[in-house]
Amino acid sequence: MNARDHRLDAAKGVLILLVVFGHLLEDLSNGWEDGAVRLLLTVIYAFHMPAFVLLAGVTAKAKRMTERILTFVILLVVFQCVYFAAERYVGYPFDWSWVEPHWILWFLLAMVWWTLTVPIVERLPRITLAVSIAVGLAAGLLLVDDDQFSLMRGLVYWPFFVLGKVYGARMIAAVPRLPRLSRWAIGAVALVPPVLLFSVDLGRQWLYSSRSYDHLDATGLEGLLIRAALYATALLLTVALFGLVPDSAGILAQLGERSLSIFLLHGLVVIGLSPAISAIFESGYDRPVQIAGIAVCAFLAGAIALVVSRRPLHWLVATPPKRAATFLTSLVPTRKQPPLSREPARHGV
């Protein structure tokens, strides 16, 4: 067995904490309308999902692909039902759909599409990377609704999946070898682009990567340039993350190793806490209350991640779907190779 890459797990740990933190921040009364909160959300959303997709590409394999895809499909169906029941219970039911993954569940369906491309990436890595970048940039020209089949995000984030598959492992290994001062300098420089995005008040829908350029009131050329800038920003921040995370089996690595359960279960907790979080600013809004609101969300993000990553919960989320996928795959007969024929020896005349 190969030893786990603690730096990769630690990076996933940081990213999953940012996912939870970002969703909690969005539930604050002013959310994206508040200056300090919007700055934090801009930094988080500028790279956390592209980086997560890149790391998914690092560990993607064509081996047992049917089983992997079935696992994602089973998780999607189960948690679509779970989230529907949860939101119906709290009084905010969404319209049921088999083709529109609810909220965070878009990632599961997108993983199906990305996994299907793995054999092509393994056969033609550089060509597929170039094609994926072109497709990701051009996706915004399509007049499609992202909610259906996770199509828009699937196309926009595909280049990061391919990049992770082709170069991700080398990036994770190479960046930490740089001198410490250089790594910290990259981290400082990487914060400049999201601050610029904040200063120009780029709409949050751009950071969600879920709408067409037309929907975002941009011409085709403007959309392509903005999307390219967002790609560069996400990549720079991701590289900075690789240079700063520790290579140790600490709490971050543990959270990263169990990021699937955190990702799928934290949304249920956020739904339950949403009314209380939204009420933070109801008694008034000033700087101390603002700082307190951010601090509360940061504390809750860590607490939620620790709770839902407990071994029994992680086993419940990760193991039964995988076993079910293995069982279903075993029911499909495999094509047996015909035995090699043994021709009689031919003697020369």
Side-chain angles (χ1 to χ4, degrees), residues 62-129:
K63 184 179 179 181
R64 304 174 73 176
M65 188 173 70
T66 302
E67 181 180 319
R68 293 170 184 267
I69 289 174
L70 274 175
T71 301
F72 290 126
V73 171
I74 291 170
L75 284 169
L76 175 59
V77 173
V78 170
F79 276 90
Q80 185 85 342
C81 297
V82 169
Y83 272 89
F84 182 80
E87 299 217 19
R88 187 177 184 85
Y89 178 78
V90 299
Y92 300 106
F94 58 88
D95 294 333
W96 178 266
S97 173
W98 288 108
V99 299
E100 297 181 3
H102 178 59
W103 190 23
I104 60 176
L105 302 182
W106 69 267
F107 183 77
L108 296 175
L109 185 53
M111 278 299 301
V112 172
W113 308 139
W114 298 327
T115 303
L116 287 170
T117 69
V118 170
I120 304 174
V121 180
E122 291 182 348
R123 185 176 180 84
L124 303 167
R126 295 182 180 179
I127 293 176
T128 310
L129 179 58

Side-chain angles (χ1 to χ4, degrees), residues 112-284:
V112 172
W113 308 139
W114 298 327
T115 303
L116 287 170
T117 69
V118 170
I120 304 174
V121 180
E122 291 182 348
R123 185 176 180 84
L124 303 167
R126 295 182 180 179
I127 293 176
T128 310
L129 179 58
V131 170
S132 69
I133 294 172
V135 169
L137 291 172
L141 299 172
L142 303 175
L143 299 179
V144 297
D145 183 359
D146 168 69
D147 295 333
Q148 293 185 354
F149 303 105
S150 302
L151 182 59
M152 183 63 76
R153 284 190 178 110
L155 294 174
V156 171
Y157 290 140
W158 185 36
F160 290 94
F161 182 83
V162 180
L163 179 64
K165 175 64 179 172
V166 178
Y167 295 114
R170 277 178 273 183
M171 291 169 60
I172 296 172
V175 176
R177 295 174 187 161
L178 297 173
R180 179 177 298 180
L181 183 59
S182 298
R183 287 184 276 127
W184 281 102
I186 292 173
V189 171
L191 290 174
V192 174
V195 171
L196 291 176
L197 296 177
F198 167 80
S199 65
V200 300
D201 197 16
L202 186 71
R204 59 180 172 176
Q205 293 294 341
W206 281 102
L207 301 176
Y208 289 162
S209 301
S210 59
R211 295 292 180 263
S212 67
Y213 298 148
D214 182 71
H215 182 94
L216 296 168
D217 296 325
T219 65
L221 179 59
E222 290 171 344
L224 291 171
L225 293 175
I226 294 173
R227 182 75 71 209
L230 291 173
Y231 276 180
T233 299
L235 183 58
L236 182 58
L237 285 164
T238 302
V239 169
L241 175 66
F242 292 160
L244 298 176
V245 293
D247 185 14
S248 60
I251 186 63
L252 285 176
Q254 179 180 318
L255 294 177
E257 185 178 350
R258 302 176 183 177
S259 59
L260 178 64
S261 60
I262 300 173
F263 182 77
L264 292 175
L265 295 177
H266 86 274
L268 300 173
V269 183
V270 171
I271 290 170
L273 292 176
S274 181
I277 296 173
S278 299
I280 289 178
F281 295 135
E282 287 184 355
S283 60

Side-chain angles (χ1 to χ4, degrees), residues 17 20-21 24 255 296-309:
L17 283 172
V20 182
F21 185 39
L24 290 169
L255 294 177
V296 166
C297 289
F299 172 79
L300 287 174
I304 292 170
L306 288 173
V307 170
V308 299
S309 65

Side-chain angles (χ1 to χ4, degrees), residues 37-67:
V37 176
R38 184 166 65 85
L39 176 58
L40 285 172
L41 286 171
T42 301
V43 174
I44 292 171
Y45 277 82
F47 86 107
H48 76 320
M49 284 315 303
F52 219 108
V53 174
L54 187 149
L55 294 179
V58 173
T59 56
K61 297 178 179 64
K63 184 179 179 181
R64 304 174 73 176
M65 188 173 70
T66 302
E67 181 180 319

